[in-house]
Amino acid sequence: LSSVPLQFLFYVNGIYYIFYFVATLAMIIYKSQVFSYPDDFLAPDLALLFIMAILEVLRLYLGSMGNLTEEEAPLGLSLVITVGSVILSVYFLVWQTYILKADVIINAVLLFTYGLESVLKVIAIAAFV
Amino acid sequence: PPETRGAARARTRSGPAPVTDVAKLCVCDLLVAQCDVNCCCDPDCSAADFSLFTTCSVPIVTGDSHLCSQKAAIYSLDVEANPPERIFKLIDQVNPSVFCIHATNYKQALSFNSPEMPTPENFDQLLKQFGSASFSAEPDSWRMNTDAQSPSDANETYRYEYGVPIQTADAFLRLPSPVVSSWCSDANPAGFLVNQATKCTRSVSVEKCGNIQAASMLFYINSSILAVPKSSQMVNITVQSIVVQSLNGMRTLLNGSDLLRLPMILDELCINIVLGVSYHITYTDAGEIIEAAASFVLGAINKEALSIQQSFEISFTQVNTKPVPLSGNPGYVVGLPLRAGFRPPGYPFPVEILFAALVLNTNKYSQLTILQSTSNQDCLAAQGARTPVLFGYNMISGCKLRITAAMKCHPLTQTLLDLLKGQSFPEYVASFGNSQAQDVLDWVPITHLHTSEQRIYNTFQSSCQIPVSLEIEVKWTKYGSLVNPQARIVNVTATITTTTAKQLPSGRERTIPITSSVVFTDISSPAEPGYKAWPTINAKLPFDFFFPFV
């Protein structure tokens, strides 16, 4: 049977990620105007944000599909992509050019969500196998 | 050894290390090894000095306030204690905003760049970057861009614009003018479309008659003007007219003015000296000069003369137009002559058909003019001397007329009318300073009135009525906006006053004064400022609100 908490978490994650993406983009624009943000530092930050968005869409789609069709392969792939998302989130938490307090808060929430999701995915894979 | 020397040189080349500890930063510590007044962070001050302070000029020294938490050094004076003492506190200041910088991975973010120290290796590059009036981040690419632009400019067509000096084959068209003192300077270029008139003094003498370049006609016409800037098309300066002025000031116009007259000595006088040049340049509306003409006034100097006054003038006319000087744009300007004209004969007066152009008198003395008083006040001897009516200037002039018994009435009346009104008294006066001849409605007809001097009207009109005064009353009003009112002529009335001339017994003569005057009257109504209407609330019910009852 599909895991209802996992599906719920995917749904919440999707909405939260939209907010996270818009907030991070807005804050990068704010930082580039207020602080000295040279182009060699701005380009990697923006690129990684867009890559993270693409990975997130892929991850949520695969995970949701895997959960609903009770297949373990898409769920496993989603788990692997989650690792990448976690690394990117840690980048935005620790290795970004300017880390504002708001950045710390939203990235911490995102990491917490990822952690919870990973646990539920492992349980779901174990149930489907 | 060269390595240590190089290392030592590199060490001495770097600037001083930036101070970032807030406890050690003190902006008001200006005097070295001395206590600065009211500077609580000065390490040179002792407790005794602190007790004499009144306030702390620098109360707080903080790091970057964008950081979430930064160290701050707070200095304050405790005035309650006796003696007053300074309090120094080192605290952590917290920025409550959620957008404070928690951390940064970009080392230069929080402090200013230390400038690069010049070394023999990077000196040229630093000079190129910072050596000019503005710093260039990419000096090489900028220079390449300007080089790329100039060959393409060569294909563009140039043209003269307002104020651009008129170029000649070697330099610029010169209009000598006084600089600082009244002596002529030949370095003043004539600007395109800039009408100028200058007067200056030049030192001449009969000995140097042929050698003074600036006193000979050749100096002013030998250079040819370029039709457009930077082109090879030349326009020669032609001689339009030559006026010769004699030593006593009388001027005569020469016929056949094609010859070049150079200064030469004749009877101990140096003749053909240029006293005035007037350039007339014809241009097209594309900014091209197509014709240039110069009119000269040549004079003579004698042995005693040490300097002459030269006057220069330049005026521009557009091709295929007849220049009409405006007396204001649009309202009349005080001091400029009234513009007047006639309706040419042969044009009917119906209202619908477009009026033909009024014949405009560009000659100054055919405009609205009044009699000009001369030094000998004899009316009949001063025929022809008239002065134009200038807007805003009330004028009165007159002369004395001697009537003898032999004078007949009618010719006398006619002579006096001619004297008062002039040869061509106009019929219309322009209401605005820039009225065009085509707009007949912009022109005000002159009203003529006749009054008689005597109150009691003689039933016998056999005696002669001769005009003795002409009074022109110009009524004008202020027109247009409150802040920039324009003068507009509304009405022009010419009143001729006549008096009876009794037949004189033979041999007797009488002198009567003849006057003519111009009066300008301001009939403007007081200005009313216009305000916008108050906005109204447009609350109306829809048309079919009470359907189906209505």
Side-chain angles (χ1 to χ4, degrees):
Chain A
L1 236 63
S2 316
S3 165
V4 174
L6 184 60
Q7 197 60 33
F8 177 71
L9 204 57
F10 280 142
Y11 182 73
V12 167
N13 192 357
I15 295 176
Y16 178 72
Y17 189 77
I18 293 170
F19 161 74
Y20 171 90
F21 179 80
V22 170
T24 308
L25 190 62
M27 277 197 285
I28 288 181
I29 293 172
Y30 165 76
K31 285 177 227 169
S32 73
Q33 298 301 310
V34 174
F35 308 127
S36 134
Y37 211 146
D39 287 339
D40 344 345
F41 289 86
L42 183 59
D45 285 352
L46 278 176
L48 287 172
L49 182 65
F50 281 97
I51 290 173
M52 191 181 182
I54 294 169
L55 281 181
E56 189 73 14
V57 167
L58 209 60
R59 190 181 71 94
L60 285 175
Y61 172 72
L62 285 172
S64 178
M65 187 181 74
N67 187 26
L68 290 174
T69 56
E70 297 177 30
E71 302 263 317
E72 59 275 357
L75 264 180
L77 199 55
S78 178
L79 197 59
V80 169
I81 298 178
T82 306
V83 173
S85 286
V86 162
I87 293 173
L88 282 174
S89 183
V90 168
Y91 170 86
F92 281 108
L93 184 64
V94 175
W95 296 316
Q96 223 190 137
T97 311
Y98 289 95
I99 303 153
L100 307 182
K101 203 193 286 186
D103 276 321
V104 171
I105 294 170
I106 56 178
N107 276 296
V109 170
L110 196 66
L111 278 174
F112 173 72
T113 313
Y114 286 166
L116 204 57
E117 237 173 53
S118 308
V119 168
L120 286 177
K121 269 188 220 168
V122 167
I123 296 173
I125 289 174
F128 295 153
V129 167
Chain B
E3 299 89 18
T4 50
R5 225 186 303 135
R9 211 181 294 134
R11 245 181 288 126
T12 53
R13 292 283 172 176
S14 65
V19 176
T20 49
D21 187 1
V22 286
K24 299 207 175 44
L25 264 174
C26 198
V27 214
C28 52
D29 179 16
L30 301 168
L31 301 168
V32 175
Q34 269 186 55
C35 184
D36 291 85
V37 180
N38 277 345
C39 187
C40 298
C41 54
D42 197 344
D44 307 315
C45 296
S46 61
D49 296 318
F50 284 133
S51 62
L52 297 170
F53 289 170
T54 46
T55 64
C56 280
S57 59
V58 173
I60 184 166
V61 182
T62 64
D64 192 349
S65 58
H66 282 296
L67 293 174
C68 285
S69 96
Q70 77 259 106
K71 283 222 172 307
I74 303 188
Y75 302 94
S76 60
L77 271 183
D78 183 13
V79 287
E80 305 293 318
N82 189 9
E85 52 184 39
R86 171 199 82 160
I87 304 175
F88 167 63
K89 275 197 294 233
L90 201 61
I91 61 167
D92 276 322
Q93 212 177 39
V94 172
N95 184 350
S97 160
V98 78
F99 297 115
C100 62
I101 299 180
H102 180 82
T104 165
N105 286 311
Y106 174 45
K107 275 292 163 295
Q108 297 99 304
L110 303 173
S111 59
F112 291 114
N113 273 349
S114 334
E116 229 178 287
M117 278 292 162
T119 62
E121 292 81 48
N122 64 6
F123 186 78
D124 290 318
Q125 184 254 327
L126 283 177
L127 182 66
K128 232 191 302 187
Q129 196 175 356
F130 299 112
S132 57
S134 65
F135 296 163
S136 56
E138 311 277 351
D140 290 325
S141 58
W142 279 48
R143 205 158 295 141
M144 281 195 313
N145 275 346
T146 51
D147 284 338
Q149 265 173 22
S150 36
S152 66
D153 275 346
N155 287 339
E156 271 179 37
T157 49
Y158 288 103
R159 56 186 199 155
Y160 281 111
E161 290 175 359
Y162 177 83
V164 168
I166 298 176
Q167 293 179 0
T168 61
D170 45 0
F172 296 107
L173 184 67
R174 285 171 298 254
L175 205 72
S177 66
V179 180
V180 183
S181 65
S182 65
W183 292 104
C184 287
S185 148
D186 289 329
N188 178 36
F192 187 66
L193 291 187
V194 178
N195 292 333
Q196 272 182 300
T198 59
K199 276 198 181 51
C200 58
T201 324
R202 208 177 282 276
S203 80
V204 292
S205 68
V206 177
E207 290 84 47
K208 294 190 284 175
C209 192
N211 294 339
I212 308 167
Q213 254 201 331
S216 99
M217 271 173 72
L218 204 59
F219 182 69
Y220 299 100
I221 59 173
N222 71 343
S223 50
S224 30
I225 301 178
L226 300 180
V228 279
K230 294 200 187 92
S231 82
S232 49
Q233 212 181 345
M234 305 287 210
V235 174
N236 286 328
I237 306 181
T238 56
V239 176
Q240 195 174 30
S241 66
I242 300 184
V243 168
V244 172
Q245 180 171 314
S246 65
L247 272 178
N248 61 358
M250 196 158 82
R251 290 188 176 188
T252 38
L253 182 64
L254 286 187
N255 290 331
S257 53
D258 300 333
L259 303 168
L260 203 65
R261 298 168 89 88
L262 295 175
M264 54 191 210
I265 298 193
L266 189 71
D267 295 335
E268 297 184 350
L269 296 175
C270 184
I271 63 168
N272 295 338
I273 297 245
V274 171
L275 292 181
V277 186
S278 176
Y279 289 105
H280 299 278
I281 313 269
T282 310
Y283 65 97
T284 65
D285 50 5
E288 203 185 303
I289 293 181
I290 54 175
E291 234 182 274
S295 311
F296 288 92
V297 174
L298 300 179
I301 54 167
N302 55 13
K303 274 205 167 25
E304 286 96 36
L306 289 173
S307 66
I308 50 167
Q309 191 177 51
Q310 293 183 313
S311 61
F312 299 94
E313 200 181 79
I314 185 165
S315 65
F316 292 86
T317 326
Q318 198 170 353
V319 69
N320 294 335
T321 61
K322 231 166 114 87
V324 172
L326 294 181
S327 295
N329 194 17
Y332 273 99
V333 173
V334 168
L336 291 182
L338 250 55
R339 294 179 61 218
F342 310 85
R343 193 160 39 88
Y347 284 101
F349 207 84
V351 185
E352 266 102 298
I353 304 176
L354 224 71
F355 285 117
L358 287 169
V359 172
L360 269 186
N361 294 306
T362 56
N363 186 355
K364 275 197 293 204
Y365 286 90
S366 292
Q367 287 185 336
L368 195 62
T369 56
I370 63 166
L371 181 69
Q372 185 172 29
S373 307
T374 52
S375 51
N376 61 333
Q377 292 174 6
D378 193 349
C379 289
L380 299 172
Q383 283 207 350
R386 301 192 70 79
T387 177
V389 173
L390 304 177
F391 183 80
Y393 288 173
N394 298 340
M395 298 199 245
I396 185 166
S397 61
C399 57
K400 288 205 191 10
L401 180 69
R402 251 182 32 224
I403 309 181
T404 59
M407 284 186 189
K408 300 265 186 337
C409 184
H410 186 71
L412 186 63
T413 312
Q414 200 53 45
T415 314
L416 282 176
L417 268 178
D418 280 344
L419 194 69
L420 285 171
K421 283 193 172 177
Q423 287 305 97
S424 48
F425 194 71
E427 297 169 11
Y428 291 86
V429 171
S431 67
F432 282 112
N434 65 349
S435 298
Q436 301 295 314
Q438 303 88 279
D439 313 321
V440 185
L441 295 174
D442 261 351
W443 293 74
V444 172
I446 298 185
T447 323
H448 294 271
L449 289 181
H450 288 269
T451 64
S452 175
E453 233 177 42
Q454 275 100 359
R455 306 259 171 87
I456 304 164
Y457 223 71
N458 262 352
T459 45
F460 271 122
Q461 285 311 305
S462 58
S463 53
C464 195
Q465 293 279 338
I466 52 169
V468 285
S469 96
L470 167 70
E471 182 182 311
I472 302 179
E473 187 179 1
V474 181
K475 293 200 177 91
W476 63 279
T477 171
K478 290 201 194 89
Y479 186 81
S481 73
L482 249 172
V483 293
N484 189 15
Q486 304 295 315
R488 179 189 185 172
I489 291 183
V490 181
N491 191 328
V492 178
T493 313
T495 312
I496 303 246
T497 311
T498 58
T499 183
T500 49
K502 289 192 280 286
Q503 192 63 23
L504 290 169
S506 65
R508 298 282 297 277
E509 45 179 51
R510 219 178 90 188
T511 312
I512 50 173
I514 308 282
T515 53
S516 67
S517 62
V518 181
V519 171
F520 285 87
T521 322
D522 181 359
I523 58 163
S524 4
S525 45
E528 287 168 15
Y531 296 110
K532 267 170 42 171
W534 274 102
T536 53
I537 301 176
N538 193 8
K540 280 208 301 247
L541 292 174
F543 177 66
D544 52 357
F545 191 74
F546 291 117
F547 184 82
F549 302 108
V550 167

